[in-house]
Amino acid sequence: MVHLSNLKTNHYDVIVVGAGVIGAAIAYELVQQGVKVALLEKNQPASGASGAAGGMLAAHSEHFAHPELYQLALYSQSLYSKLATDLLEKTGIDIGLRTEGFLLPLTKQELHLRHKEPLQADQRYDKTFDENLFPLPNKSHTSASTHNDSKVDCKEWWSPSYLAQVEPHIYAPSGMIYNPDEPQLIPALFNQALVQAAIQHHVDFYPETEVYRLLHSQGKNHITGVITNQGEIYAEQVVLTTGLSTQQLLATEQYSLPLVPVKGELIEVSTSSQYLGHTIYGEGIYIIPKSNHRIWIGATSKPERTDTTVDLSAIAQLLSGAEQFLPAIGSATFERCWSGIRPGTPDELPYLGRIQPLAGLWTASGHYRNGMLLAAGTAKWMAEALINNDTAHIPDCFSPERALQKSKSLSSKSRSTAKGVTTWN
């Protein structure tokens, strides 16, 4: 074990455990407001779910069952243009933010059901397209947050003839809906830029630092830091942003917070020339153009799978899904495949806020398939809560208290604190 004398310091205002996009964004937001922050990561940034994501910021296209989550998504998405510029200026890292927009497939039957009259073949788009015809989640609901800077959706129907001019490789006999408001980015670069920017603002970053357990005061009701393979590190507040591993760390304190693993697999192909200019966001399939004529195709969804292998059947499934819209994708060059484990919750709402029975302990976890989209907004909300010690601006539906339970007993793995224990950040 590394002695405390080798640590940068051993007392902070806030320790953030986990340097994926959620944790790195929170650390970056806090340090800009004068908070002394330590950012701990078991491996390296983007080594977990953050690095395996597709990078879509689909606030308008994603189907959110909860209006509060939809509002957070809209708010968070609105922050990315400025955030990308700031990160580039501070770190020199271009996070690959692309704003061409998304194309959403729709069948002829669905189109005719929602329009009184069929579209003419030569129409570029149907100017009558609106939310009454294609309903989105209820935007009349306003959450407890006052940060609703989203703009009204502006969608267009692109007829097959117009689509053929813009995207000649796409097959869509009934056209597609164009949503100009949806951007996408490179997740690993975004994660790296957040960490680098945080470091430049004097966040102390501890990679390869494994958290064994939480430290607490003699009364055991106040968390005062963490025990790591680098020694004990103290703080006024600790934030767990470790995704699925959050539940194991809480288990060491005899609390249960349910998180649901959902494995996702993706593939990357390359083409000899520009093949796709807009992200295709379909049912069960997305096709994302990246730089240098690379295309990402994702993603499978396998609940309760925690392995990070890629099944051969998954590659076939993704290619088959992509060929529906890009028939010639089979001639592209296969580059790589990968998988990640999305941290979901039973009600599909992330946990944002205090772990109430343990003063000084917070979490931001369980963002499922929208961690990349929600990272910027989550960081704003959590930083405000930590600095003011107040969660009034965070809707109650996100509170960990809705699912937190006292465990009856600890497993032998959870009790272990010595060398050789399983660690979770």
Side-chain angles (χ1 to χ4, degrees), residues 204-256:
D204 283 348
F205 177 49
Y206 296 89
E208 309 295 335
T209 300
E210 302 178 80
V211 172
Y212 296 158
R213 289 200 60 156
L214 304 172
L215 288 167
H216 39 70
S217 61
Q218 291 182 350
K220 289 196 125 184
N221 292 324
H222 189 96
I223 299 302
T224 57
V226 294
I227 302 171
T228 79
N229 62 330
Q230 304 252 24
E232 296 180 353
I233 308 177
Y234 296 88
E236 299 301 314
Q237 301 180 92
V238 175
V239 187
L240 305 180
T241 68
T242 50
L244 290 170
S245 300
T246 297
Q247 61 187 343
Q248 283 93 348
L249 270 173
L250 287 173
T252 67
E253 300 298 324
Q254 301 185 50
Y255 284 97
S256 170

Side-chain angles (χ1 to χ4, degrees), residues 45 92 117 135 166 168 215 245 306 315:
E117 298 179 1
V166 180
L215 288 167
S245 300
T306 57
I315 297 176

Side-chain angles (χ1 to χ4, degrees), residues 21-62:
V21 291
I22 301 296
I26 290 172
Y28 176 56
E29 187 66 32
L30 284 169
V31 76
Q32 291 182 94
Q33 300 186 51
V35 179
K36 187 178 180 182
V37 181
L39 178 61
L40 280 55
E41 168 57 43
K42 175 183 176 181
N43 297 303
Q44 294 290 335
S47 59
S50 294
M56 298 180 297
L57 308 179
H60 302 269
S61 302
E62 183 77 4

Side-chain angles (χ1 to χ4, degrees), residues 42-161:
K42 175 183 176 181
N43 297 303
Q44 294 290 335
S47 59
S50 294
M56 298 180 297
L57 308 179
H60 302 269
S61 302
E62 183 77 4
H63 299 291
F64 295 106
H66 304 276
E68 296 89 352
L69 185 58
Y70 181 55
Q71 290 296 327
L72 173 58
L74 291 173
Y75 167 56
S76 189
Q77 189 196 63
S78 73
L79 303 172
Y80 275 88
S81 178
K82 182 178 185 303
L83 181 57
T85 300
D86 291 345
L87 291 174
L88 179 61
E89 292 176 352
K90 291 175 181 179
T91 69
I93 298 175
D94 182 351
I95 66 173
L97 186 69
R98 295 180 58 156
T99 58
E100 298 95 339
F102 285 17
L103 290 170
L104 284 66
L106 194 68
T107 66
K108 286 183 179 179
Q109 182 181 10
E110 289 172 321
L111 179 65
H112 292 166
L113 285 173
R114 290 164 171 80
H115 289 266
K116 294 180 180 180
E117 298 179 1
L119 296 178
Q120 300 300 314
D122 59 349
Q123 278 186 283
R124 172 183 170 184
Y125 60 87
D126 177 15
K127 293 183 179 180
T128 68
F129 179 87
D130 61 26
E131 292 179 28
N132 294 321
L133 301 174
F134 297 86
L136 289 167
N138 181 12
K139 294 201 297 183
S140 64
H141 176 92
T142 56
S143 69
S145 172
T146 59
H147 307 299
N148 185 9
D149 299 326
S150 61
K151 55 187 176 182
V152 176
D153 294 318
C154 180
K155 295 186 179 70
E156 302 172 355
W157 177 258
W158 284 7
S159 69
S161 59

Side-chain angles (χ1 to χ4, degrees), residues 2 59-60 103 108 152 167 176 183 191 201 269-270 279 288 302 320 343 374 394 398 421:
V2 178
H60 302 269
L103 290 170
K108 286 183 179 179
V152 176
E167 292 281 8
M176 287 186 168
N191 203 159
H201 281 274
V269 301
S270 63
T279 294
I288 316 171
K302 299 178 178 179
S320 175
L374 301 176
I394 301 178
F398 295 114
V421 300

